[in-house]
Amino acid sequence: MSRRGLLLTMTEPPAAMEAEFNAWYDTEHLQERLAITGFRSASRWVADLARGEGRYLATYELDSPGVLTSAEYLARFEGATPWTRRCLAKTVVFRRWACEQVSPGMADPHPLAKAVLLVAAESAIGELQIPGALQVRHFVASAGMPGHIALAELAWEGTRSLPAPQPGRLMRLYRAYAP
């Protein structure tokens, strides 16, 4: 049995284009991706960060990492709409990871998650001790750097027990996006 996949994108539009970017994401982009066979679900997240640090995060749950090499996905990816090309061309931050879930097995996102802590590193992340975390899922990226990802799913974004930042690790707390 193959492992689950995850497409993870960190984006940020220019401030003057934020409303259009969110309209595009909410009315066109998510629906296009979810119509592709093998895309199980999608969630958007937002962080209170300084400009240029990756304000938005999207998580696309996949049946397997192979979904991202399917003819159906590649046709949609290569045949982007004019609105998609415009919005992505204007982003000031765009990072993309294609991942395989390595633990815990075939776990889906926790349905009560209201926030996620993204941790990205060059080497395996190991056990994250986050009191109150609903679950922590670990991924290895076949595309995107750094190549090891952990998503800690939290019941609320106001947690005060986050791990201390470590050199060489990207850490960002995102709350559920609401249009």
Side-chain angles (χ1 to χ4, degrees):
M1 179 179 237
S2 68
R3 293 184 176 175
R4 293 263 171 88
L6 177 77
L7 174 60
L8 183 69
T9 61
M10 180 187 294
T11 56
E12 186 173 322
M17 194 179 174
E18 195 141 4
E20 179 184 358
F21 178 84
N22 286 321
W24 161 73
Y25 227 108
D26 296 337
T27 63
E28 180 180 284
H29 189 67
L30 285 179
Q31 289 77 8
E32 281 185 348
R33 293 301 175 259
L34 290 173
I36 297 169
T37 304
F39 273 69
R40 301 170 57 82
S41 65
S43 297
R44 288 190 70 203
W45 310 89
V46 62
D48 297 318
L49 298 169
R51 293 304 275 174
E53 291 191 15
R55 179 169 163 74
Y56 295 99
L57 186 73
T59 53
Y60 302 90
E61 304 293 331
L62 310 171
D63 285 341
S64 74
V67 170
L68 300 176
T69 59
S70 70
E72 185 179 1
Y73 175 77
L74 293 175
R76 179 67 69 180
F77 187 77
E78 293 164 4
T81 68
W83 201 11
T84 294
R85 287 192 302 273
R86 173 182 157 68
C87 287
L88 291 180
K90 301 280 185 182
T91 57
V92 294
V93 174
F94 183 83
R95 296 178 77 174
R96 179 184 182 273
W97 292 269
C99 302
E100 178 178 47
Q101 185 169 318
V102 294
S103 73
M106 300 291 280
D108 285 324
H110 198 286
L112 299 178
K114 301 286 187 231
V116 293
L117 176 66
L118 166 69
V119 181
E122 289 300 327
S123 57
I125 294 168
E127 185 89 14
L128 288 177
Q129 298 298 322
I130 304 172
L134 299 166
Q135 73 178 349
V136 180
R137 296 185 299 146
H138 293 262
F139 303 86
V140 174
S142 59
M145 294 301 287
H148 294 269
I149 305 290
L151 285 179
E153 298 164 0
L154 309 167
W156 63 293
E157 73 273 6
T159 185
R160 300 289 182 248
S161 302
L162 297 177
Q166 296 180 13
R169 285 190 174 181
L170 169 71
M171 295 180 70
R172 300 274 193 278
L173 179 64
Y174 291 86
R175 67 181 184 285
Y177 170 83

